[in-house]
Amino acid sequence: MLTALEVFTTVVVGVMVGVEFSVAFVMNRIFDALPEDSGQLGRAHGGRMLGAVMPFWYIGSLVLSAVWAVAEWNHSGAGAGLVVTAAGLLIVSVLMSILLLVPINNRGKTWTPENRPADWKEQLNRWDRYHYVRVAVIVAAFACLAAALT
C-alpha cells in the first residue's frame, strides 16, 4: 500500500509540475505572441480555468506528501527526510500562491480590453516572475519525491 501511495503522489505532483512548467515556458509565450488583445484574453481565460483547479491540486499534493511522510517515517524512515522536504517545499508553494499569485490572478481573470487597468502588463509580468520561482520550488519538491522512491 505504501508503494501505491508513493507512486500516486509522485505522479500527481509530477503532472502538476508539468502543467505549471507549460504555463510558464510555453503557454504564456504563446499568449504573449498573439496579436492585439488575444494574449490578454487568453491569459484571463487560463486564469479562470486553472484558477478553479489548481487550489485542489496544490493542497491535494501537499496532503498526499504529508501522508507519505508520516507513513514512511513509521515504516522505515529511509526516505522520510526527502518526503518531509518535499512537503515543506509544497507548503512554500501554497503560501506563495495565496500571498503573491492568487491576488494578481483574481484581478487578471476578470480583465477585458475594455476594463483592464493601465498597469495590466506590469501586473502580468510580476505574476510571471513569482510563477517562475513557484515552478522552481515545485520542481525541487518533485525531485525530492522522485529521489525518495529509490
Side-chain angles (χ1 to χ4, degrees):
M1 187 69 166
L2 180 58
T3 301
L5 173 65
E6 294 169 351
V7 171
F8 183 71
T9 302
T10 304
V11 169
V12 168
V13 173
V15 173
M16 181 178 73
V17 166
V19 168
E20 293 292 34
F21 187 90
S22 176
V23 167
F25 298 104
V26 178
M27 297 308 301
N28 285 346
R29 300 284 189 264
I30 291 170
F31 292 148
D32 292 344
L34 292 174
E36 300 174 16
D37 296 319
S38 300
Q40 185 263 307
L41 293 170
R43 280 181 174 247
H45 181 66
R48 287 188 298 275
M49 190 174 113
L50 290 173
V53 173
M54 296 316 281
F56 300 102
W57 211 339
Y58 273 84
I59 299 297
S61 295
L62 173 56
V63 168
L64 285 168
S65 297
V67 170
W68 178 3
V70 169
E72 183 72 25
W73 200 278
N74 291 333
H75 184 259
S76 69
L82 287 168
V83 182
V84 168
T85 301
L89 290 166
L90 291 171
I91 289 170
V92 169
S93 74
V94 168
L95 291 174
M96 286 183 68
S97 298
I98 292 168
L99 298 174
L100 302 172
L101 290 119
V102 169
I104 298 169
N105 188 66
N106 284 344
R107 290 188 301 272
K109 70 185 182 181
T110 65
W111 293 340
T112 66
E114 294 78 32
N115 73 357
R116 64 188 179 209
D119 69 339
W120 68 276
K121 285 184 181 180
E122 291 81 10
Q123 290 188 53
L124 291 181
N125 288 335
R126 188 177 321 114
W127 188 92
D128 287 344
R129 288 190 305 273
Y130 293 148
H131 186 64
Y132 295 144
V133 174
R134 181 174 62 178
V135 168
V137 168
I138 64 174
V139 165
F142 176 65
C144 288
L145 293 176
L149 286 173
T150 60

